[in-house]
Amino acid sequence: MAEKNGIRARYITANEKTMLVTLIEERSEILFNKSHDFRTIHRKKAAWEEVTSLFNAAGYGPPRTQQQLKKVWENAKGKAKKQHAAYKRETMRTGGGAPPKPEDEETAKILTIISDDLDGEENELDCDLLQSTGKSYFDNSTESSAWMFCIFY
């Protein structure tokens, strides 16, 4: 987060990050709309400007630019995705041992905001998904055939 004059800005604190996530969550319907028409783009820009002005008005620290806040959000989102992937990978491991530590509150909040972006599309032929959900898939004939496919594959 560099300023225009080349001096590095102060790191963002946990309180600032929590406030940013809350402001983004309140406007997530606008900010993460997938449409690319003029009206939507204009609304997104206005929403980011609103987030920036409200964030700076709170007075937690030095004023931040819109670009700085977007970068903090992108970094937090990437970190949350990494933690979620590590958690999923750890839960799918074999061999027992201690259960993986659960995701922290901030990560869970970010994941609920970006749930549409996560790679979690269910595949009925995925054996790991069938086993990890703990549900019985023998109720539906296509899903039971998927289970049989996993057994004989």
Side-chain angles (χ1 to χ4, degrees):
M1 294 193 290
E3 297 286 332
K4 289 182 182 177
N5 59 6
I7 299 173
R8 186 177 170 92
R10 187 176 60 90
Y11 288 112
I12 193 161
T13 64
N15 289 339
E16 288 175 314
K17 191 180 286 189
T18 302
M19 178 170 185
L20 179 63
V21 170
T22 302
L23 291 171
I24 289 173
E25 182 181 31
E26 292 169 357
R27 291 153 190 81
S28 63
E29 188 175 316
I30 298 168
L31 291 173
F32 306 118
N33 189 340
K34 303 278 185 193
S35 299
H36 295 288
D37 59 296
F38 175 76
R39 180 173 288 148
T40 304
I41 292 171
H42 181 70
R43 290 177 66 202
K44 285 181 184 183
K45 285 181 183 178
W48 272 111
E49 288 171 6
E50 184 180 7
V51 166
T52 304
S53 65
L54 289 172
F55 183 86
N56 289 328
Y60 280 115
R64 308 284 183 169
T65 65
Q66 184 175 340
Q67 293 160 334
Q68 289 173 330
L69 294 179
K70 280 184 178 182
K71 184 66 175 173
V72 168
W73 169 250
E74 290 299 320
N75 290 343
K77 190 168 70 167
K79 183 180 175 186
K81 284 182 179 181
K82 255 186 186 176
Q83 286 180 356
H84 181 65
Y87 179 79
K88 282 177 59 176
R89 189 172 45 251
E90 194 66 27
T91 57
M92 295 303 237
R93 282 182 59 186
T94 59
K101 65 177 188 172
E103 297 161 343
D104 62 352
E105 198 173 308
E106 182 179 305
T107 301
K109 194 171 188 180
I110 292 172
L111 291 173
T112 58
I113 295 171
I114 63 166
S115 60
D116 292 341
D117 292 346
L118 295 177
D119 295 329
E121 295 183 24
E122 294 185 9
N123 180 357
E124 66 182 32
L125 298 178
D126 185 5
C127 299
D128 292 334
L129 179 67
L130 292 173
Q131 293 171 355
S132 68
T133 57
K135 297 179 182 175
S136 172
Y137 283 97
F138 293 106
D139 300 336
N140 189 343
S141 62
T142 59
E143 290 172 342
S144 64
S145 63
W147 181 255
M148 294 303 287
F149 173 77
C150 291
I151 293 172
F152 295 113
Y153 181 64

